Amino acid sequence: NCPELMKSEINHIITAMGRTSEESYKPILNETMRKVCCYFNFYKSQTFAHQILKVRESYYLNGEFVNTEFIANLENLDSTAQLKLVTPQLLKITDSLVYLDQVHANILQTLLKCVNLFTWTAGILKKPSDLDDFTDLAINCVDNTAVQINRITCFKSVCTIFSPFIFQLQDTDEVKFLQNLQEVYDKVRNRDESADYLLKMSKDCARESEITFWKEIQFSHTSIGGKTISQLK
């Protein structure tokens, strides 16, 4: 489709240049090149669009993702329809997706791997400060060994890094999603540990045995019972 589209658009420019003055065809040239660039960017962005929609479905996000959906479903539209439906907001979302890199892709994959951990955590911790209270309680509930302390430290680090997808999900739309994604990205890149190490640690924390461990911590402290940390306080 892309070569055919470019041929069609270039022929349109040549025709315009042959029958109009330079000043008349310049706007046509600029608009056509903008559309062709958009077309390429749509396809470059498709993989990320599909990943984002998978995360949205897994986390039951209820905000609008209409532009992301458009990019993900390009095959269902012919090239002419695609270009006619270009809007400023679609361009803005596309520009954001085009500049995502492999670390962003790994973060999205980690979100999918960690959905059970993060949704469970969101159910008992209602704000970031609850994380400190919960991990303090956990330290009092386990043996003071290097293994257990490391376990708690890893959990706290992971939840801190991914806090935008634990504590900031209300009415998340595609714009807020990309902001949250970039916030996690910045946290990952600004830490001393490598991005690969941090994301592997996140997946390790999300193993079913680890989630069971944290559920046992929650209920082992008689004052917590089934309450959230906010209710406890």
Side-chain angles (χ1 to χ4, degrees):
N1 284 341
C2 207
E4 293 176 6
L5 172 69
M6 290 185 67
K7 181 179 178 181
S8 171
E9 292 292 343
I10 290 170
N11 285 338
H12 178 59
I13 294 172
I14 293 172
T15 301
M17 290 172 65
R19 69 186 182 196
T20 61
S21 66
E22 182 178 349
E23 289 305 314
S24 298
Y25 70 70
K26 270 187 177 180
I28 299 174
L29 175 62
N30 292 337
E31 178 64 14
T32 299
M33 294 311 297
R34 184 185 70 85
K35 287 182 177 180
V36 171
C37 287
C38 288
Y39 193 86
F40 278 114
N41 286 341
F42 289 158
Y43 277 92
K44 286 170 65 178
S45 305
Q46 261 198 313
T47 298
F48 281 109
H50 282 294
Q51 286 182 308
I52 288 169
L53 293 178
K54 287 180 182 178
V55 175
R56 178 193 65 168
E57 181 180 2
S58 298
Y59 285 79
Y60 300 100
L61 305 181
N62 55 17
E64 288 192 351
F65 284 73
V66 290
N67 297 295
T68 308
E69 290 172 343
F70 175 89
I71 295 168
N73 295 304
L74 282 175
E75 289 82 359
N76 298 328
L77 296 171
D78 62 41
S79 58
T80 302
Q82 290 170 17
L83 296 183
K84 285 182 178 179
L85 292 173
V86 172
T87 65
Q89 186 61 24
L90 177 58
L91 290 175
K92 183 177 179 181
I93 295 298
T94 305
D95 286 344
S96 297
L97 294 180
V98 164
Y99 289 102
L100 300 183
D101 61 22
Q102 188 57 48
V103 175
H104 289 101
N106 291 342
I107 290 170
L108 291 170
Q109 286 298 318
T110 302
L111 284 168
L112 292 172
K113 292 283 187 181
C114 297
V115 61
N116 290 337
L117 174 66
F118 293 156
T119 53
W120 174 80
T121 303
I124 63 165
L125 308 180
K126 299 306 179 184
K127 56 184 183 298
S129 60
D130 288 346
L131 182 59
D132 292 328
D133 298 324
F134 185 55
T135 51
D136 286 346
L137 287 171
I139 290 173
N140 293 326
C141 292
V142 299
D143 296 332
N144 190 23
T145 63
V147 171
Q148 296 290 51
I149 297 302
N150 183 64
R151 200 176 201 178
I152 294 168
T153 301
C154 288
F155 172 81
K156 185 175 181 178
S157 295
V158 167
C159 290
T160 299
I161 292 170
F162 284 91
S163 61
F165 287 95
I166 298 174
F167 304 110
Q168 302 174 25
L169 289 184
Q170 295 84 355
D171 301 318
T172 297
D173 61 10
E174 57 194 353
V175 174
K176 181 68 180 301
F177 185 100
L178 289 170
Q179 291 171 348
N180 289 351
L181 178 61
Q182 189 59 40
E183 185 177 339
V184 173
Y185 178 92
D186 291 340
K187 289 181 179 182
V188 168
R189 296 307 295 261
N190 290 333
R191 301 220 2 156
D192 293 334
E193 304 94 331
S194 70
D196 289 343
Y197 172 79
L198 290 170
L199 297 177
K200 179 182 182 302
M201 181 175 69
S202 302
K203 294 174 184 178
D204 288 343
C205 285
R207 290 187 307 224
E208 197 58 41
S209 59
E210 291 300 300
I211 296 174
T212 300
F213 167 80
W214 286 105
K215 288 180 179 178
E216 290 172 352
I217 291 293
Q218 179 192 4
F219 287 100
S220 66
H221 199 288
T222 55
S223 355
I224 297 179
K227 297 180 180 180
T228 65
I229 297 298
S230 296
Q231 290 171 330
L232 175 62
K233 292 169 70 177

